[in-house]
């Protein structure tokens, strides 16, 4: 099973940016990947997907602000988050689009003024 490790989270103020990274333990070249987030008291939600061919989809709440990308040579998926809002605060996780891998620890994103 692929192991996934998220990093890059932190504390930012509204309007600022963060870039998250998801490092996989093996090749993800042929795997559609996604970023998920879970805020306190809320269900985990899928916010961005990138297919093996590079097509992307986003939740309406982040569309136009977040960009998912991948570097298959590095077995890594990224999430560029711009114009962050307080409602973006959550623990962010990566996984396959179908969430077939074990969940990692995630990385905390806090957006506070």
């Amino acid at each position: 099973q692929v192991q996934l490790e998220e990093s890059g989270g932190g504390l930012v103020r509204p309007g600022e940016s963060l870039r998250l990274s998801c490092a996989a333990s093996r090749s993800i070249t042929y795997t559609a990947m996604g970023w998920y987030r879970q805020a306190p008291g809320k269900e985990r939600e899928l916010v961005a997907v990138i297919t093996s061919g590079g097509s992307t989809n986003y939740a309406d709440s982040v569309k136009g602000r977040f960009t998912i990308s991948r570097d298959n040579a590095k077995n890594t998926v990224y999430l560029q988050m711009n114009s962050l809002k307080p409602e973006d605060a959550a623990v962010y996780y990566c996984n396959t689009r179908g969430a077939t891998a074990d969940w990692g620890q995630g990385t905390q994103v806090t957006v506070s003024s």
Side-chain angles (χ1 to χ4, degrees), residues 26-33 50-52 70 72 95-97 100:
R26 62 158 176 81
S27 174
I28 55 169
T29 299
Y30 306 109
T31 306
M33 300 293 295
I50 184 165
T51 70
S52 60
R70 63 194 299 156
N72 290 334
N95 210 313
T96 67
R97 180 171 56 187
T100 56

Side-chain angles (χ1 to χ4, degrees), residues 1-15:
Q1 178 65 272
V2 61
Q3 308 298 316
L4 302 168
E5 183 175 334
E6 302 91 347
S7 62
L11 172 64
V12 298
R13 293 180 171 80

Side-chain angles (χ1 to χ4, degrees), residues 58-88:
Y58 301 92
D60 288 342
S61 58
V62 308
K63 194 170 297 182
R65 300 186 297 118
F66 290 11
T67 303
I68 187 171
S69 61
R70 63 194 299 156
D71 186 339
N72 290 334
K74 297 181 178 179
N75 296 335
T76 300
V77 182
Y78 304 97
L79 186 67
Q80 178 67 45
M81 305 186 296
N82 297 329
S83 302
L84 282 161
K85 304 175 179 179
E87 51 262 45
D88 295 319

Side-chain angles (χ1 to χ4, degrees), residues 40-53:
K42 298 182 180 179
E43 297 182 7
R44 182 183 285 118
E45 63 172 333
L46 180 64
V47 298
V49 167
I50 184 165
T51 70
S52 60

